[in-house]
Amino acid sequence: MEFAHEPVLLDQCIRHLNVKENGIYVDGTLGGGGHAAGICEKLSESGTLIGIDQDMDALLASKKRLEKYPCKKVYARRNYAEIAEILAELGIERVDGAVLDLGVSSYQLDSPHRGFSYMGDAPLDMRMDAGSKFCAYDVVNTYTEKELASVVRRYGEERWAARIGLFIANARKEKPIENTQELVSIIKAAIPASARREGPHPAKRTFQAIRIEVNDELGKLEQALPAFCDALAGGGRLCVISFHSLEDRIVKDVFNTRADPCTCPKSLPACVCGKTADIKKITKKPIIPRDEELAQNPRARSAKLRVAEKRHVGK
């Protein structure tokens, strides 16, 4: 299966990056290389793209896709949260821009053996990094009923989380839950029929929650964003595309804190804490896909793009 992934908000992202032809840019979630290709199109032979992804399939597909561009290219099979270590190993102090396209790729969703999708049948996996030992099977079969409910409620924002946790715990008393369709059947049984007739697929929120837990997606994002802000050169921009309200909230909070770090009481006439902003928000509200893009790529419907720019020293 070809690693095909339609890049979301591509034009808006590339436009906001303000790519300099000789600059250094990072795609921290390389995937199929869609956003990276947009960056490489604007780079000269002296420019550099650093592509990061945990998924070897993604790296191999992107290398092939990007080989036609003359710029320098460096690839790292790592998690984007390790950006500081990656740059240190490359001897790079600052970058001119970066993009993060969060969540799971179309390729990963559509690869039956990866276990991300509730539509097919596959082993309970959901690892973005195939080298990781922790997978969806471990969450489903070793977490307590309360832990399962907490994960599904927190990361899936699922109103039936408690019942889903109970039904999973009861089902695995008979035998371990091993594949995606077993889990889908249990989730459907846990959600009342009247609720199943409304909204998205009844397993969507639970599968999303388990995937986020398996890959520690929100923890990695909270770790990565400050590191990416630190890595930017003056005038450099960070573009982050999120697909989940919790992701977007983290991005918004980090950008807000970096753009206004003062902790002084509002009653004071002037700041005395000494904390100064090192980024400015380019987007006050997130950019969302246009109707034309949604018509071509329905999976883009929940996407939100936020952009921040590193302030020049002394400004």
Side-chain angles (χ1 to χ4, degrees), residues 233-244:
R237 289 186 171 184
L238 173 60
C239 295
V240 185
I241 302 169
S242 64
F243 292 85
H244 186 287

Side-chain angles (χ1 to χ4, degrees), residues 21-40:
E21 64 175 11
N22 297 328
I24 302 173
Y25 292 84
V26 179
D27 187 335
T29 49
L30 190 58
H35 291 98
I39 294 170
C40 288

Side-chain angles (χ1 to χ4, degrees), residues 39-257:
I39 294 170
C40 288
E41 284 178 357
K42 294 182 174 295
L43 292 176
S44 69
E45 293 182 7
S46 300
T48 302
L49 173 86
I50 301 168
I52 304 169
D53 207 292
Q54 300 177 98
D55 194 319
M56 182 55 73
D57 289 344
L59 289 172
L60 292 174
S62 291
K63 284 181 181 179
K64 185 175 181 180
R65 180 173 186 170
L66 302 176
E67 62 185 2
K68 64 182 179 181
Y69 298 105
C71 62
K72 302 169 189 174
K73 294 173 283 286
V74 181
Y75 300 99
R77 187 184 179 187
R78 307 273 283 275
N79 186 283
Y80 67 90
E82 301 172 67
I83 183 61
E85 294 84 354
I86 294 168
L87 294 180
E89 291 165 12
L90 295 172
I92 296 172
E93 290 188 9
R94 294 287 181 268
V95 300
D96 297 294
V99 59
L100 297 174
D101 179 8
L102 306 175
V104 63
S105 72
S106 297
Y107 172 85
Q108 290 167 329
L109 280 173
D110 295 337
S111 297
H113 67 284
R114 302 294 293 270
F116 286 105
S117 176
Y118 44 79
M119 300 304 290
D121 196 17
L124 285 172
D125 191 337
M126 301 194 196
R127 294 171 297 169
M128 291 183 180
D129 177 3
S132 172
K133 294 181 180 179
F134 184 66
C135 67
Y137 177 94
D138 301 306
V139 174
V140 172
N141 288 287
T142 69
Y143 278 31
T144 66
E145 177 187 330
K146 286 186 177 180
E147 287 171 338
L148 284 167
S150 177
V151 166
V152 174
R153 184 181 300 109
R154 189 184 330 133
Y155 298 150
E157 298 177 300
E158 170 62 72
R159 62 178 295 204
W160 302 104
R163 278 177 61 87
I164 291 169
L166 172 63
F167 275 57
I168 290 174
N170 286 339
R172 69 192 186 195
K173 290 177 183 177
E174 302 296 323
K175 73 172 196 66
I177 302 165
E178 297 182 344
N179 61 59
T180 55
Q181 284 309 300
E182 284 181 68
L183 181 58
V184 168
S185 296
I186 294 165
I187 295 167
K188 285 183 176 179
I191 299 176
S194 58
R196 293 202 305 270
R197 286 194 288 269
E198 302 172 359
H201 190 286
K204 180 180 179 179
R205 295 185 182 94
T206 299
F207 269 61
Q208 171 185 278
I210 294 172
R211 188 204 81 218
I212 290 172
E213 176 73 7
V214 167
N215 298 287
D216 188 24
E217 292 177 37
L218 300 187
K220 296 297 185 186
L221 180 60
E222 289 177 330
Q223 178 184 342
L225 289 173
F228 270 89
C229 289
D230 292 342
L232 291 174
R237 289 186 171 184
L238 173 60
C239 295
V240 185
I241 302 169
S242 64
F243 292 85
H244 186 287
S245 61
L246 296 179
E247 290 174 340
D248 182 59
R249 195 175 306 154
I250 291 170
V251 179
K252 179 181 177 181
D253 288 347
V254 171
F255 283 3
N256 283 343
T257 299

